[in-house]
Amino acid sequence: MSLKKPITKSTENYSDSINKLKEKIEDADAVLIGAGAGLSTAAGFTYSGERFDKYFSDFKAKYGFSDMYYGGFYPYRTLEEYWAYWSRYIYINRYLDVASDLYSQLFDLVKNKDYFVITTNVDHCFQKAGFDKKRLFYTQGDYGLFQCSEPCCSKTFGNEESIREMFAKQSDMKIPGELIPRCPYCNKPLTTNLRADDKFVEDEGWHIAAERYQNFLRTRQNQKILFLELGVGYNTPVIIKYPFRQMTAKNPKASYVCINMGDASCPDEIKSRSICIDHDIKEVITDLLSEKIK
């Protein structure tokens, strides 16, 4: 089934959609959360505007960067400058929390259900909010891990101590040369464990998580599964969006939910078993936990 005929949004009003979704969650045998960048954006992990200006005003002045993403792809002349940028980037988006309880609220919503999470986000917010590590699959990597830039091995390395030291000791947009992280096996520079090309390292932990995800799908394929898609766009739709829609189509007991500000849609083929909410994710989760919406 191609599922190529989208509708733009639900025909129901907001409160009807919330009440219907509450019932779906309560009735579901299992909940599979698929989370994209829009979820973390709703939680306050914005990559432009005030947060960018606060931490990267010097890089902005020198290079004209308009957001953190742009700066992450810049070909810096030295590793000292590269890691000055990336240590800040990782520090604020992996080790520094924002003033939001969105992920904790989401956990409250599903903690008593049989749940699993697959996400393209790499900021570790699910685990920090209390989600069971064994029920999480970070498909695209983790800001908290280094890997060999070669790579010479299929291993990753925790980076918190190194990132914090680089963040604290940098000056003039450079880190001290002795802080450049190097592979303990080949001495080549380490890099971020983020999927950008065919050098991305899928380590043992990644493969264990992938197997747990497949096992979750396999053992619950005939149950009443709620596919809850949160803030997923079309950069990598083959990871979450398209599979969720296809699995919903194949399982008549399943339901598909798309919550995404400005882009909440579903194919016509599964419209009768779908809920599309074009609204701020934070407000939606708050209202799902509230008794006021009736």
Side-chain angles (χ1 to χ4, degrees):
M1 184 176 292
S2 62
L3 303 181
K4 291 182 178 179
K5 300 177 181 178
I7 59 173
T8 55
K9 58 184 178 180
S10 173
T11 56
E12 297 178 336
N13 64 41
Y14 176 70
S15 46
D16 285 345
S17 295
I18 293 295
N19 288 325
K20 185 177 178 181
L21 180 50
K22 280 186 179 182
E23 294 174 0
K24 290 286 187 182
I25 293 172
E26 292 172 1
D27 190 49
D29 296 321
V31 178
L32 180 56
I33 295 173
L39 179 61
S40 283
T41 298
F45 283 91
T46 53
Y47 286 69
S48 60
E50 184 178 344
R51 281 184 88 236
F52 174 70
D53 291 338
K54 179 179 179 180
Y55 291 101
F56 295 98
S57 59
D58 50 355
F59 281 90
K60 180 179 180 180
K62 182 175 181 178
Y63 294 109
F65 298 160
S66 58
D67 57 53
M68 295 183 211
Y69 286 119
Y70 192 97
F73 289 100
Y74 187 82
Y76 299 100
R77 293 180 60 188
T78 68
L79 287 173
E80 286 84 355
E81 192 173 14
Y82 172 90
W83 280 114
Y85 187 87
W86 271 100
S87 62
R88 291 190 214 178
Y89 189 115
I90 294 171
Y91 175 72
I92 68 171
N93 293 307
R94 173 65 170 78
Y95 298 114
L96 193 66
D97 295 327
V98 293
S100 173
D101 60 354
L102 175 54
Y103 277 88
S104 297
Q105 286 183 307
L106 182 57
F107 180 56
D108 287 341
L109 191 67
V110 300
K111 64 184 179 182
N112 295 321
K113 304 295 295 186
D114 178 20
Y115 73 84
F116 199 94
V117 177
I118 178 172
T119 180
T120 54
N121 295 344
V122 294
D123 49 29
H124 214 64
C125 287
F126 282 103
Q127 201 164 328
K128 289 194 289 185
F131 284 81
D132 185 350
K133 181 180 179 180
K134 294 181 179 179
R135 292 175 177 267
L136 298 174
F137 181 25
Y138 292 90
T139 65
Q140 305 299 77
D142 186 340
Y143 283 147
L145 297 175
F146 288 149
Q147 66 168 69
C148 179
S149 58
E150 184 66 20
C152 71
C153 58
S154 297
K155 293 183 180 295
T156 56
F157 313 93
N159 66 19
E160 182 171 3
E161 183 178 349
S162 180
I163 289 296
R164 288 184 181 276
E165 188 174 13
M166 286 191 279
F167 179 81
K169 294 184 177 180
Q170 64 181 257
S171 64
D172 193 28
M173 292 182 287
K174 296 181 179 66
I175 66 165
E178 63 269 18
L179 295 185
I180 295 172
R182 294 190 175 275
C183 177
Y185 295 96
C186 71
N187 204 41
K188 291 282 181 63
L190 292 173
T191 188
T192 53
N193 180 233
L194 305 176
R195 191 185 298 278
D197 52 32
D198 59 3
K199 291 186 176 182
F200 174 70
V201 168
E202 297 175 355
D203 64 6
E204 182 181 8
W206 189 96
H207 285 285
I208 290 173
E211 184 177 351
R212 286 174 177 155
Y213 175 57
Q214 291 302 322
N215 184 63
F216 184 90
L217 295 177
R218 182 172 58 253
T219 56
R220 293 152 178 87
Q221 59 184 345
N222 294 318
Q223 296 182 7
K224 286 186 286 186
I225 302 179
L226 178 63
F227 292 96
L228 182 57
E229 182 190 299
L230 303 172
V232 177
Y234 283 90
N235 285 336
T236 53
V238 296
I239 297 174
I240 295 172
K241 186 179 291 290
Y242 292 166
F244 273 29
R245 291 174 173 182
Q246 291 163 353
M247 288 186 285
T248 301
K250 291 177 181 178
N251 180 359
K253 297 179 182 178
S255 299
Y256 171 73
V257 177
C258 177
I259 305 174
N260 200 2
M261 176 75 85
D263 192 13
S265 64
C266 70
D268 287 342
E269 291 92 330
I270 58 172
K271 179 179 177 181
S272 63
R273 291 185 284 119
S274 298
I275 303 172
C276 299
I277 303 178
D278 185 351
H279 206 81
D280 178 74
I281 297 174
K282 168 67 173 170
E283 292 184 23
V284 173
I285 302 302
T286 298
D287 288 338
L288 286 170
L289 292 168
S290 172
E291 297 297 326
K292 295 179 182 180
I293 300 289
K294 295 294 182 182

